[in-house]
Amino acid sequence: MANAFDGNDELLEPETKELIRRRSAVLAPSYRLFYRAPVSVVRAEGVWLYDAEGRRYLDAYNNVPAVGHSHPHVRQRVDEQMRVLNTHTRYLTEPLIAYSERLLALFPPELSKIVYTCTGSEAVDLALRVARYETGARGIICTSHAYHGTTAAAAEISPSLGPNNPIGPEVILVDVPDSYRDDPTAAAEIFAARVKAAIAMLGQRGVGLAAMIVDSVLSSDGVQTDPAGWLAPAADAVHEAGGMWIADEVQPGFGRLGTGWWGFTRHGLKPDLVVLGKPMGNGIPIAAVVGTDAAMDRFGRDIRYFNTFGGNPVSIAAANAVLDVIENDDLIANASAVGARLRSGLEQVARRHPTIGHVRGCGLFVAAEFVGDPVGREPDAATASAVVNELRDRGILISASGRSENVLKIRPPLPFQAEHADHVVTALDEVLTATTKKKSN
Amino acid sequence: MANAFDGNDELLEPETKELIRRRSAVLAPSYRLFYRAPVSVVRAEGVWLYDAEGRRYLDAYNNVPAVGHSHPHVRQRVDEQMRVLNTHTRYLTEPLIAYSERLLALFPPELSKIVYTCTGSEAVDLALRVARYETGARGIICTSHAYHGTTAAAAEISPSLGPNNPIGPEVILVDVPDSYRDDPTAAAEIFAARVKAAIAMLGQRGVGLAAMIVDSVLSSDGVQTDPAGWLAPAADAVHEAGGMWIADEVQPGFGRLGTGWWGFTRHGLKPDLVVLGKPMGNGIPIAAVVGTDAAMDRFGRDIRYFNTFGGNPVSIAAANAVLDVIENDDLIANASAVGARLRSGLEQVARRHPTIGHVRGCGLFVAAEFVGDPVGREPDAATASAVVNELRDRGILISASGRSENVLKIRPPLPFQAEHADHVVTALDEVLTATTKKKSN
């Protein structure tokens, strides 16, 4: 995993050491911490996290607190609902219906039905169940460094979990065009050809094609945003073969890309199922599958689905408050404007520091790729990791991603302002200047 | 599904009809409502739910609001946390550690590690992943009318979801001894023999035994509580064959059985993995897998597991508040005392109405089984369903379960008092007396 604490606690403060010791005694070894020196957090507000000593960290990484940490409107709506009612969906409750109407109005009309879950993993898992039941086929195509979640079925389509996580025989991985190294004008065609080959392979394996699932911003594949529309011919190929297109909007969804509510609309494609998650309740667990009638109908009638906490009134109150804030504070336009400014600033830094080979992204989903040199373009994970940790020490939180873990992933809460973007750009410039000086000494 | 609304809205009030119409327009057909006449709920407090007209319903069914609906202590702790911080587990946060220490202290010492998820389904799914990874085997044994959740892997071991829900070739179902019809003194031996046969079958299929998973109160199998200890020889057989025992405590856990914190302790068995869910956060989504070091270690190191919302500070605050209330209000002792009174009252009703063939249960997990006559003992789902709906019309909410859907499932919030138990008993007596009169006219 990129940016994981490696267990070396020699240089840590005694309080941090002691917390890590207590933590390791009770949490399973499944848990990982971020950073060479893990960050101990006690409070957060807006785009800032604070540690016990009052040091503040600019949050340039977390997409869950989409409308900002500890947002008062979300808090208030949750508290009002906690005073009144929190139950399940086998009783009738009006706010669930009203929120569903509001959410569906943000989608193309053919995406007309919702099922709520608690996590993106559960939503992905359900979308796979639905697609496999409806098509009668078992095969799933995903991208070769995808992350879609942690249930058994979702992990099976999450090769980014590493070599010990088994990818089953019903899953085919396809490589994503590299928007830095490959010809962008050929990306759509090349990817569609790979998808067609994968469909043929599923046929040969006798499992058929149930669905292809793609994160509409290709986050784990290194944030491959351009050119807009490059996914569409692959989706056409999937539909022609009788499969479903599952748009994983857990990361790009709810306005982060600054081009509307969902990432798939940038690509002009028509998903059968859309998976929502992380930012949906600003941290209160809620996620969903949105789908066409055709996709959802038979599974729903034949099997049913009940998620005890899914769509409960408190989660719905949080989700409704999130939509309020995104709309009232015009956060999609903000993501577009501040994201553009951030990318522009990073491009200027890249001109001074050729170790940044490529800056890309869309809205407030921004990537900067580190390479050994701009001609050879070989991935430089060591510099990416050093930069992530140097920025942490200067009070800015980001992380790295991509197949080679050499891509800075900058993905802040949506109320990120121009001054915050400038602060990231300046700090990165300083870090790289210091590194260059060190190297030349 | 037992007690599902059948879609016939002819006799419903116009407001209810309209809500159902709007609901069907936006929610997928996966959703089911309870009751012949669905209940529209607007608020709830303690053991009472209220509809828009101010009618109140005694909640004798819901185990999620374990310490009572809209509990002020849980609400307050959640609100305090919402004002301060809600983030993930890759930063260090002390309350997560403190709660984990507190929770583990309620388990035998060998169950020493936790992983948090958001739902019981996710916890079951993770327990299966862990068991399969650790043992290298794929086979799972579960009971023949079990319910363990809704992810693909959990649904595959949930035959109670019905005939359209596929049970894979890696899963073997074993029938549970019927505590009403079979000899209770032979239950342990008979069940262990069936489990041994299932283990042999997994060997023949070439998949081996990874784990057996059992809900420690056998809720979906009709609430099979007695005799305490009947599961232990089966667990021994599983361990002898190199498999893990997964105790599903989503329903019996957190004191409901009145005999301690967990259902597996009644059976004197040693689980390798324990799954927690529903009541854990009183409705705020939180669930967990607790396991031995041996079970958790290799999966954790080799694969890792990260659940974005799992164990977030707000969910932890809710879970911590739930433990406060259970301890401070002595709710385990209350479950024992009020549960015993409820069963005793139901047994008196059964003496007057032989259609109730058997009353059983433990603490506040109580079942009453309806039969055509006490000699033939054939299941009578029609009467169970009629009684559930008559009680609903009299303002008492319960449901039915079991393989034949003829078992009343009474499973109220833990602060249920003697007067509430008496109210259920009296109402049931009245309903059955009215039914008998109707029949004899």
Side-chain angles (χ1 to χ4, degrees):
Chain A
M1 186 188 110
N3 192 29
F5 172 57
D6 65 3
N8 179 356
D9 65 359
E10 272 179 43
L11 299 174
L12 302 183
E13 292 163 26
E15 296 77 11
T16 307
K17 262 190 185 172
E18 172 62 7
L19 270 186
I20 292 174
R21 189 199 59 74
R22 283 175 60 199
R23 192 177 192 270
S24 307
V26 291
L27 298 188
S30 318
Y31 281 85
R32 303 287 186 276
L33 289 164
F34 273 150
Y35 300 109
R36 198 168 50 198
V39 180
S40 179
V41 182
V42 298
R43 71 181 179 91
E45 197 178 341
V47 297
W48 296 96
L49 292 151
Y50 297 83
D51 70 13
E53 283 74 39
R55 272 187 299 252
R56 71 178 192 171
Y57 298 85
L58 179 63
D59 187 351
Y61 180 71
N62 286 298
N63 53 351
V64 171
V67 299
H69 289 276
S70 314
H71 197 285
H73 181 62
V74 179
R75 182 201 66 71
Q76 193 187 336
R77 287 287 182 271
V78 164
D79 190 51
E80 286 165 6
Q81 190 61 49
M82 288 284 288
R83 290 169 187 269
V84 171
L85 179 69
N86 197 21
T87 187
H88 56 79
T89 53
R90 284 180 169 164
Y91 305 127
L92 279 167
T93 53
E94 202 274 342
L96 169 74
I97 301 168
Y99 174 75
S100 302
E101 291 165 345
R102 182 178 184 183
L103 182 65
L104 284 176
L106 306 176
F107 282 91
E110 65 274 14
L111 291 161
S112 59
K113 291 288 186 295
I114 307 184
V115 182
Y116 292 96
T117 66
C118 292
T119 68
S121 289
E122 285 192 326
V124 164
D125 194 288
L126 175 61
L128 297 178
R129 285 184 73 196
V130 166
R132 283 171 162 157
Y133 192 77
E134 179 62 28
T135 61
R138 297 285 312 167
I140 307 286
I141 303 172
C142 66
T143 61
S144 58
H145 203 66
Y147 175 77
H148 295 292
T150 56
T151 67
E156 217 191 29
I157 55 168
S158 295
S160 68
L161 288 172
N164 294 318
N165 173 61
I167 304 300
E170 296 172 342
V171 177
I172 307 267
L173 310 181
V174 290
D175 284 337
V176 166
D178 183 320
S179 51
Y180 173 38
R181 295 171 184 80
D182 300 335
D183 172 11
T185 64
E189 197 185 335
I190 289 171
F191 190 63
R194 288 177 192 159
V195 169
K196 284 176 190 166
I199 294 169
M201 208 181 296
L202 288 171
Q204 286 157 18
R205 288 189 191 174
V207 294
L209 173 66
M212 175 153 191
I213 180 166
V214 178
D215 164 8
S216 306
V217 73
L218 286 301
S219 171
S220 297
D221 287 284
V223 188
Q224 306 296 348
T225 41
D226 298 303
W230 72 267
L231 285 172
D236 289 343
V238 166
H239 284 141
E240 276 160 29
M244 292 192 185
W245 186 272
I246 304 172
D248 185 339
E249 294 284 336
V250 170
Q251 299 220 40
F254 290 97
R256 171 162 297 280
L257 302 190
T259 55
W261 287 89
W262 318 112
F264 69 82
T265 54
R266 281 186 75 236
H267 286 279
L269 58 82
K270 287 184 181 299
D272 304 278
L273 296 164
V274 178
V275 173
L276 309 179
K278 296 193 194 294
M280 191 168 180
N282 215 49
I284 296 292
I286 180 167
V289 182
V290 174
T292 62
D293 275 320
M296 297 285 222
D297 192 59
R298 212 161 62 86
F299 177 88
R301 291 184 195 285
D302 289 0
I303 298 194
R304 81 180 181 255
Y305 179 87
F306 176 66
N307 188 306
T308 303
F309 308 135
N312 76 45
V314 166
S315 297
I316 290 290
N320 207 31
V322 166
L323 295 188
D324 290 345
V325 180
I326 293 176
E327 288 176 355
N328 295 342
D329 294 358
D330 220 357
L331 290 181
I332 301 182
N334 186 70
S336 174
V338 178
R341 183 183 180 107
L342 176 59
R343 284 195 305 283
S344 159
L346 293 173
E347 277 158 7
Q348 288 173 37
V349 176
R351 265 174 238 131
R352 283 191 292 278
H353 303 282
T355 184
I356 301 184
H358 197 225
V359 173
R360 58 183 176 263
C362 190
L364 283 171
F365 214 124
V366 175
E369 180 157 357
F370 282 80
V371 291
D373 72 275
V375 180
R377 298 186 177 184
E378 69 280 20
D380 182 355
T383 299
S385 169
V387 165
V388 164
N389 281 289
E390 286 290 329
L391 287 174
R392 173 247 177 267
D393 292 345
R394 287 164 189 250
I396 296 175
L397 302 181
I398 60 168
S399 194
S401 83
R403 179 190 295 266
S404 307
E405 303 185 351
N406 67 319
V407 179
L408 297 191
K409 187 160 71 174
I410 309 177
R411 196 187 51 178
L414 300 182
F416 214 63
Q417 297 300 305
E419 69 200 73
H420 306 127
D422 296 351
H423 182 42
V424 171
V425 169
T426 306
L428 179 62
D429 196 18
E430 288 170 7
V431 165
L432 291 175
T433 303
T435 311
T436 313
K437 273 189 193 152
K438 255 192 245 166
K439 277 189 189 165
S440 61
N441 283 346
Chain B
M1 187 189 112
N3 192 30
F5 172 57
D6 64 3
N8 179 357
D9 66 357
E10 272 179 41
L11 297 175
L12 303 182
E13 291 163 26
E15 295 77 11
T16 308
K17 263 188 185 172
E18 172 61 7
L19 270 185
I20 292 173
R21 188 199 60 74
R22 284 175 60 199
R23 192 176 191 271
S24 308
V26 292
L27 298 189
S30 320
Y31 281 85
R32 303 287 186 274
L33 288 164
F34 273 150
Y35 301 110
R36 199 168 50 196
V39 180
S40 180
V41 183
V42 298
R43 71 182 180 91
E45 198 178 341
V47 297
W48 297 96
L49 292 151
Y50 298 83
D51 70 13
E53 283 74 39
R55 273 186 299 250
R56 70 177 192 173
Y57 298 85
L58 179 64
D59 187 351
Y61 181 70
N62 287 297
N63 52 352
V64 171
V67 300
H69 290 276
S70 312
H71 197 286
H73 181 63
V74 179
R75 182 200 68 72
Q76 194 188 335
R77 286 287 182 268
V78 164
D79 190 51
E80 285 165 6
Q81 190 60 50
M82 288 283 289
R83 289 169 187 269
V84 172
L85 179 69
N86 196 22
T87 189
H88 56 80
T89 53
R90 284 180 170 165
Y91 306 127
L92 279 167
T93 52
E94 201 274 343
L96 169 75
I97 301 167
Y99 174 76
S100 301
E101 292 166 345
R102 183 178 183 182
L103 182 64
L104 284 176
L106 307 176
F107 283 90
E110 66 274 15
L111 291 161
S112 59
K113 290 289 185 296
I114 307 185
V115 182
Y116 293 96
T117 67
C118 292
T119 68
S121 289
E122 284 192 328
V124 164
D125 193 288
L126 174 61
L128 297 178
R129 284 184 74 195
V130 166
R132 283 170 162 158
Y133 192 77
E134 179 61 30
T135 61
R138 297 284 313 165
I140 307 288
I141 304 173
C142 66
T143 61
S144 58
H145 203 65
Y147 175 77
H148 293 293
T150 57
T151 67
E156 217 190 29
I157 54 168
S158 296
S160 69
L161 287 173
N164 294 317
N165 173 61
I167 304 301
E170 294 172 344
V171 177
I172 307 265
L173 310 181
V174 291
D175 284 336
V176 166
D178 182 321
S179 52
Y180 174 36
R181 293 171 185 82
D182 300 335
D183 173 10
T185 64
E189 197 185 334
I190 289 171
F191 190 64
R194 289 177 191 160
V195 169
K196 284 176 190 167
I199 293 169
M201 208 179 298
L202 287 171
Q204 285 156 20
R205 289 189 191 173
V207 293
L209 173 67
M212 176 154 190
I213 179 166
V214 179
D215 164 9
S216 306
V217 73
L218 286 300
S219 171
S220 298
D221 287 283
V223 188
Q224 307 294 348
T225 41
D226 298 303
W230 71 266
L231 286 172
D236 290 343
V238 166
H239 284 142
E240 279 160 28
M244 292 193 184
W245 185 272
I246 305 172
D248 184 339
E249 294 285 337
V250 171
Q251 300 221 41
F254 290 97
R256 172 162 296 279
L257 303 190
T259 54
W261 285 91
W262 318 112
F264 69 83
T265 53
R266 280 186 75 235
H267 286 280
L269 57 82
K270 287 185 181 296
D272 304 279
L273 296 163
V274 179
V275 173
L276 309 178
K278 296 192 193 295
M280 191 168 180
N282 215 47
I284 296 293
I286 181 167
V289 181
V290 174
T292 63
D293 274 320
M296 297 284 222
D297 192 59
R298 212 162 60 87
F299 177 88
R301 288 182 197 286
D302 288 0
I303 298 195
R304 82 178 181 257
Y305 178 87
F306 175 66
N307 188 306
T308 303
F309 308 135
N312 76 46
V314 167
S315 296
I316 290 291
N320 207 31
V322 165
L323 294 187
D324 290 345
V325 180
I326 293 175
E327 288 175 356
N328 296 342
D329 294 359
D330 219 357
L331 290 181
I332 302 183
N334 186 69
S336 176
V338 177
R341 183 182 180 106
L342 177 59
R343 283 196 306 283
S344 160
L346 292 173
E347 277 158 5
Q348 288 172 38
V349 176
R351 267 175 234 128
R352 282 191 292 278
H353 303 282
T355 184
I356 302 183
H358 196 224
V359 173
R360 59 183 176 264
C362 189
L364 281 172
F365 215 124
V366 175
E369 180 159 356
F370 282 80
V371 291
D373 71 275
V375 180
R377 298 185 177 184
E378 71 279 22
D380 182 355
T383 298
S385 170
V387 165
V388 165
N389 280 290
E390 286 289 329
L391 286 173
R392 173 247 177 265
D393 293 344
R394 286 166 190 251
I396 296 174
L397 302 181
I398 61 168
S399 194
S401 84
R403 179 190 294 267
S404 307
E405 304 186 350
N406 68 318
V407 179
L408 297 191
K409 187 160 72 173
I410 310 177
R411 196 187 51 179
L414 301 181
F416 215 62
Q417 298 300 305
E419 69 200 73
H420 305 128
D422 295 351
H423 182 42
V424 171
V425 168
T426 306
L428 179 62
D429 197 19
E430 287 170 7
V431 164
L432 291 174
T433 302
T435 311
T436 312
K437 272 189 193 156
K438 255 192 244 168
K439 277 188 187 165
S440 62
N441 283 345

